[in-house]
Amino acid sequence: MSSASEQWQNPLRDPRDKRLPRVAGPCSLVIFGVTGDLSRKKLMPAIYDLANRGLLPPGFGLTGFARREWEHQDFGQVVYDAVKQHARTPFRQEVWDRLAEGIRFVQGSFDDDDAFDRLADTVSELDTERGTGGNHAFYLSVPPGAFPLVCKQLARSKLADDGPEQWRRVVIEKPFGHDLASAQELNAVVNDVFHEDQVFRIDHYLGKETVQNILALRFANQLFEPLWNSNYVDHVQITMAEDIGLGGRAGYYEGIGAARDVIQNHLLQLMALTAIEEPVSFNPRDLRTEKLKVLSATRPAEPFAKTTARGQYAGGWQGGQKVPGLLDESGFSKTSCTETFAAIELEVNTRRWAGVPFYLRTGKRLGRRVTEVAVVFKRAPHLPFDDTATEELGQNAFVVRIQPDEGVTMRFGSKVPGSTMEVRDVTMDFGYGHSFTEALPEAYERLILDVLLGEPSLFPVNEEVELSWEILDPVLRYWEKNGSPETYRAGTWGPPSANAMMARTGRHWRRP
Ligand code: BG6
């Protein structure tokens, strides 16, 4: 795809130096859904942080679209407050002033043709006033029910039309449907208006440094790859635990649940990166090819009564505070069957992974906030020690700590100092904070910049989304037919069935 941004050259940058970050060319971003939490807490701060890092063009434009009766300056104030409250990098008045000059607001609803015509005028004014060159990205931070209408309006007002000299891109946030059929419908609607290389589907986990580091750890080192297969690996555990509850999120979460919210996307992407074969290169096509292969080979293990667990948090104590159960959170039905905890076992039917279960679990109101990928190794085939010497020896593990406390832990056995031979588990740690002076950028900084650069590697394509639904759908159907989720007390690690699904094969969940 030849685009204006690819032709634009930052005069300060030596194009031969690949270590320097790429700077976005002339362009603007339009956000639909600017009154939502995501915009305030993530998107607006990320845009400022990018500007502060010098990665946006000097004439960058930012347009908000919403129903509120706001003037440009009211929206500017909203962005300012969001930046002040949530930006990662320090506030610099001169950066803000430059960004503020490019802020615009268009008032209207999604069914209002005039509003979209005004939006078209606004972006073309930005082209004249700020030199955005006809290059515009449209960020749909809106419920999926609104996608079809917004896409239709963008088509009608010709905002979706790209050309040899200008690009137009659309960014969509999950959920991409609630099952395979609805995802296919949604994709059809989006692809009616935009061709596939204009579409950027956000899975913000792929924007996280620690997630991208899975590829570096696996494919830049000699140490791990020889062991990374069913000869040595016993199983893989992927955990995304959160301590927060769902107060205030009923509108989105009721009827969706933990599996659709994060397993279908974030956790299956983590699984895919852990399990893929080495890509021929890291260009988007080669990486995608490997991800598609591994997702195609993945199935949920059966019988689901024994290989899955589903829970809903009840009231309890967390962080010294009494917290309500889901059924007492505002907006949730008193008979809600929405799960707040989900765990599944997957099989990856490839030569590398046959027989190695991948366990995925996630939950709200769990013991603490932690996301990790743990590769747990088989025991040594022979232990030439007295039985008592290795009583406290567990299984070796390689753990990628996605967040917080980002880094990697290796667990292995070591002799306890003393006159007898006693082996106990110890850990060896790499922490970003100790090893690098560079701070970790927010996922949304990386992803928004990639949209503006037209760099699609970190965005799941249509087929990945559909394959992920194919994996999850049978479990969701089984759960729907088989009663309600088990309850678990807030602040614990999920329902008893979660432990049972591991215990039946003599395994157990790590306590991160
Ligand atoms: C979102 C989910 O995608 O990820 C939320 O919808 C979840 O339910 C959030 O809380 C977690 O993101 P992070 O980056 O804080 O792990």
Side-chain angles (χ1 to χ4, degrees):
M1 191 175 29
S2 137
S3 69
S5 78
E6 279 157 9
Q7 287 150 20
W8 189 81
Q9 293 290 334
N10 177 355
L12 298 177
R13 179 174 175 245
D14 178 348
R16 288 163 305 184
D17 190 345
K18 290 197 171 155
R19 286 166 311 178
L20 290 177
R22 289 176 69 195
V23 177
C27 64
S28 92
L29 181 70
V30 176
I31 305 180
F32 295 95
V34 280
T35 51
D37 253 19
L38 180 75
S39 287
R40 250 179 347 101
K41 292 193 181 150
K42 299 288 181 189
L43 307 184
M44 295 167 185
I47 290 162
Y48 168 81
D49 288 325
L50 286 173
N52 206 6
R53 291 165 62 201
L55 300 177
L56 294 185
F60 183 72
L62 172 65
T63 305
F65 184 105
R67 266 194 303 240
R68 303 279 162 95
E69 303 267 342
W70 283 343
E71 299 294 331
H72 297 314
Q73 60 272 25
D74 299 319
F75 176 53
Q77 185 63 42
V78 170
V79 182
Y80 178 83
D81 293 342
V83 167
K84 277 289 207 166
Q85 220 182 329
H86 300 290
R88 181 180 64 85
T89 59
F91 186 80
R92 289 198 291 148
Q93 192 63 43
E94 66 276 20
V95 172
W96 168 254
D97 289 345
R98 177 134 35 91
L99 191 64
E101 281 169 23
I103 292 183
R104 305 286 184 273
F105 182 73
V106 175
Q107 194 268 329
S109 56
F110 299 149
D111 56 3
D112 177 355
D113 290 359
D114 289 348
F116 278 81
D117 293 342
R118 286 199 302 278
L119 178 62
D121 293 343
T122 303
V123 299
S124 85
E125 278 157 27
L126 282 173
D127 290 341
T128 324
E129 292 165 15
R130 307 275 298 165
T132 45
N135 305 315
H136 305 285
F138 301 94
Y139 200 121
L140 273 54
S141 175
V142 298
F147 290 177
L149 189 51
V150 177
C151 287
K152 231 171 63 198
Q153 288 284 20
L154 290 172
R156 193 199 54 78
S157 51
K158 307 218 174 314
L159 282 163
D161 295 356
D162 60 356
E165 298 298 326
Q166 65 175 39
W167 55 255
R168 299 296 161 102
R169 297 180 186 136
V170 67
V171 186
I172 49 183
E173 270 286 345
K174 72 180 184 62
F176 311 119
H178 53 89
D179 57 12
L180 176 61
S182 56
Q184 284 169 332
E185 275 170 37
L186 201 64
N187 274 326
V189 168
V190 174
N191 288 136
D192 236 18
V193 174
F194 295 96
H195 49 83
E196 190 58 20
D197 52 11
Q198 287 180 289
V199 184
F200 290 73
R201 296 172 184 79
I202 294 258
D203 182 319
H204 80 279
Y205 263 60
L206 296 179
K208 292 182 191 275
E209 278 291 332
T210 44
V211 173
Q212 293 157 36
N213 197 27
I214 296 174
L215 297 177
L217 291 167
R218 287 194 56 197
F219 300 120
N221 296 302
Q222 179 70 340
L223 186 56
F224 313 119
E225 200 55 20
L227 306 181
W228 211 264
N229 57 55
S230 63
N231 293 332
Y232 300 99
V233 175
D234 178 67
H235 70 279
V236 177
Q237 297 188 15
I238 303 182
T239 297
M240 174 184 172
E242 293 182 284
D243 51 4
I244 50 171
L246 286 154
R249 287 192 76 201
Y252 162 73
Y253 206 88
E254 174 76 307
I256 293 283
R260 288 188 174 94
D261 183 36
V262 301
I263 292 188
Q264 188 271 343
N265 37 75
H266 308 327
L267 297 197
L268 282 174
Q269 286 289 329
L270 289 177
M271 191 278 308
L273 296 178
T274 307
I276 55 170
E277 294 302 314
E278 182 179 284
V280 173
S281 78
F282 283 113
N283 82 28
R285 193 197 54 206
D286 292 337
L287 185 59
R288 180 182 309 153
T289 302
E290 296 308 329
K291 283 208 283 177
L292 289 174
K293 266 165 57 186
V294 86
L295 289 169
S296 311
T298 303
R299 303 270 173 282
E302 297 199 44
F304 297 145
K306 294 194 171 155
T307 56
T308 71
R310 178 172 59 134
Q312 186 185 74
Y313 65 82
W317 288 86
Q318 209 170 30
Q321 273 191 332
K322 199 162 191 309
V323 294
L326 184 84
L327 301 183
D328 295 319
E329 300 274 22
S330 87
F332 285 92
S333 143
K334 291 284 175 216
T335 55
S336 173
C337 281
T338 301
E339 86 276 359
T340 59
F341 177 99
I344 61 175
E345 177 184 333
L346 299 175
E347 48 192 52
V348 181
N349 297 313
T350 61
R351 187 180 187 103
R352 183 189 286 266
W353 293 119
V356 179
F358 280 65
Y359 298 101
L360 274 46
R361 72 171 160 168
T362 184
K364 305 279 184 193
R365 286 264 183 251
L366 297 186
R368 70 185 190 92
R369 173 175 180 255
V370 59
T371 300
E372 63 167 40
V373 176
V375 178
V376 181
F377 290 89
K378 293 182 173 169
R379 289 180 192 281
H382 173 64
L383 292 171
F385 306 96
D386 293 342
D387 288 351
T388 52
T390 53
E391 260 171 359
E392 293 188 54
L393 176 65
Q395 283 169 274
N396 297 164
F398 180 80
V399 184
V400 183
R401 303 194 311 269
I402 305 291
Q403 66 186 26
D405 185 23
E406 292 82 358
V408 174
T409 300
M410 277 216 265
R411 188 182 68 189
F412 49 86
S414 177
K415 180 179 177 305
V416 180
S419 53
T420 56
M421 177 56 89
E422 193 191 334
V423 185
R424 198 182 290 164
D425 283 337
V426 294
T427 55
M428 202 157 82
D429 279 334
F430 144 63
Y432 278 76
H434 299 127
S435 304
F436 298 114
T437 48
E438 294 87 345
L440 291 172
E442 271 285 323
Y444 278 97
E445 286 172 50
R446 170 69 194 261
L447 296 175
I448 292 173
L449 180 63
D450 279 2
V451 169
L452 303 178
L453 289 167
E455 165 50 60
S457 303
L458 298 178
F459 298 85
V461 289
N462 206 343
E463 291 131 288
E464 282 170 77
V465 172
E466 293 184 4
L467 283 170
S468 302
W469 281 120
E470 263 177 51
I471 296 168
L472 200 58
D473 272 0
V475 177
L476 294 172
R477 279 197 296 270
Y478 170 81
W479 283 348
E480 216 170 283
K481 287 201 210 108
N482 285 277
S484 29
E486 266 180 283
T487 52
Y488 59 96
R489 212 159 21 86
T492 64
W493 284 91
S497 55
N499 293 331
M501 69 183 262
M502 296 291 264
R504 84 187 175 100
T505 57
R507 300 186 173 100
H508 58 86
W509 290 108
R510 285 168 45 81
R511 182 59 59 86

